[in-house]
Amino acid sequence: QYDQLLKHCLLWSQAQPHRPAPWGWLGMAYLQEGQHEASISICKKALSVGNADDPGHNALLAYAYAVSGKRDEARKILRQLTQRSQAGYVRAYYLGMVYAALGEKDKAFEQL
């Protein structure tokens, strides 16, 4: 029921515009509804309002880029996340989800 998720996330984000917490869910709901550009916009907003270095929101933006066919943008973020994972902790799930969206199943399973 992504339409209901969209409705509730939008209401929450209007009530709390400076808190990025539901925007990840909102971005995913837009993707599931086929609204790729809306998802990308929300993911970018979450990064600008929240922590721009947040690996989860960056991975979601890369995922949205990959699903919408913007593979170069997705790969750029994936490279950044991979570099970060070598210096500190980045959930392997985040890398795996981006690889999956890019259609690189073996690399996705390797991360998962």
Side-chain angles (χ1 to χ4, degrees):
Q1 298 176 342
Y2 293 109
D3 58 332
Q4 291 297 312
L5 178 60
L6 282 169
K7 178 179 135 187
H8 290 289
C9 286
L10 285 170
L11 288 172
W12 196 94
S13 66
Q14 289 169 355
Q16 309 253 347
H18 301 293
R19 296 192 60 200
W23 294 352
W25 292 105
L26 186 56
M28 284 303 288
Y30 276 128
L31 281 177
Q32 296 302 320
E33 291 288 307
Q35 298 181 45
H36 299 155
E37 292 304 318
S39 177
I40 290 168
S41 177
I42 286 294
C43 292
K44 286 181 178 180
K45 182 165 180 142
L47 288 167
S48 71
V49 172
N51 179 358
D53 292 328
D54 180 82
H57 283 113
N58 275 287
L60 183 56
L61 177 58
Y63 182 89
Y65 277 141
V67 170
S68 68
K70 298 179 179 185
R71 299 172 63 82
D72 291 339
E73 290 92 334
R75 288 190 186 287
K76 179 180 176 186
I77 296 171
L78 181 59
R79 280 191 299 276
Q80 293 168 349
L81 289 171
T82 301
Q83 288 173 349
R84 281 189 65 188
S85 73
Q86 294 168 356
Y89 182 71
V90 174
R91 291 182 181 169
Y93 168 77
Y94 295 149
L95 302 173
M97 71 184 246
V98 178
Y99 279 122
L102 289 167
E104 298 182 27
K105 294 177 185 176
D106 290 338
K107 289 184 179 180
F109 279 116
E110 182 180 309
Q111 293 298 320
L112 299 175

